[in-house]
Amino acid sequence: MAESVDGHRNQVRRLVLHGTRGVVSRCRDFTTEALTDWGWLPAETAEERERAEDVLLLVSEVVTNACLHAGGPEELVLRHAAGRLRVEVADASPVHPRMRVTRSPALPGGHGLMVLERLAVAWGSEDKGSGDGAGKVVWLEVSRPSPPPWGRRRADPS
């Protein structure tokens, strides 16, 4: 694992995907395992638990959008460094997501990008690299609410 400029470890997990059947639950399970390994889970506070649940919801949203609008995701990449998580979902469609005209929350569908807008620190999409074929990568970033357990300082008992 490489170190970032500020000395924190950069950790990356990749999951290659095919088709759409069961892919959302596979991506959620994969993300849960990574969050556990990186100390986001089990959560010690309500805020930490909510943030981890937000991450799983966001993964579900971007993977579902790839299934509905792009023939399915090709790869899920999780990048963790310095208390920030970047989620990337690659697909074969060259069409980038765009916000729709605001819809009534009572109507089904069409709310995925609004969820990203509210829960992610940042999100966007970019064309895949020229050597990766046609398509795009939809990404989002979420920050950790507090340091991992091994990075917390204990109070001095004296």
Side-chain angles (χ1 to χ4, degrees):
M1 275 173 234
E3 287 197 13
S4 64
V5 174
D6 61 3
H8 290 92
R9 283 184 150 185
N10 294 327
Q11 300 170 313
V12 179
R13 302 270 175 102
R14 295 179 185 278
L15 178 63
V16 176
L17 302 160
H18 304 283
T20 58
R21 186 178 196 126
V23 74
V24 174
S25 60
R26 282 186 61 215
C27 290
R28 284 179 62 94
D29 291 347
F30 180 80
T31 303
T32 299
E33 184 178 322
L35 292 177
T36 301
D37 291 347
W38 295 333
W40 290 51
L41 292 171
E44 292 186 357
T45 67
E47 183 184 14
E48 290 174 356
R49 189 170 25 267
E50 288 172 6
R51 188 62 51 88
E53 289 171 2
D54 288 350
V55 169
L56 296 174
L57 175 61
L58 290 165
V59 166
S60 295
E61 288 294 337
V62 293
V63 171
T64 297
N65 281 351
C67 290
L68 294 174
H69 306 292
E74 296 176 335
E75 183 178 45
L76 169 67
V77 179
L78 305 175
R79 300 178 190 279
H80 183 255
R84 203 164 177 111
L85 177 68
R86 181 177 170 107
V87 175
E88 301 173 0
V89 176
D91 63 53
S93 173
V95 179
H96 292 264
R98 59 182 177 82
M99 296 289 285
R100 294 184 189 176
V101 176
T102 305
R103 296 172 47 130
S104 166
L107 295 174
H111 303 291
L113 296 181
M114 289 190 309
V115 170
L116 264 80
E117 192 73 30
R118 290 198 178 209
L119 298 180
V121 171
W123 75 274
S125 64
E126 53 200 39
D127 292 334
K128 279 197 224 172
S130 59
D132 296 328
K136 67 181 173 302
V137 174
V138 177
W139 58 269
L140 64 96
E141 293 182 351
V142 179
S143 60
R144 180 187 192 96
S146 62
W150 56 84
R152 296 183 188 135
R153 292 187 180 184
R154 296 186 186 263
D156 187 10
S158 57

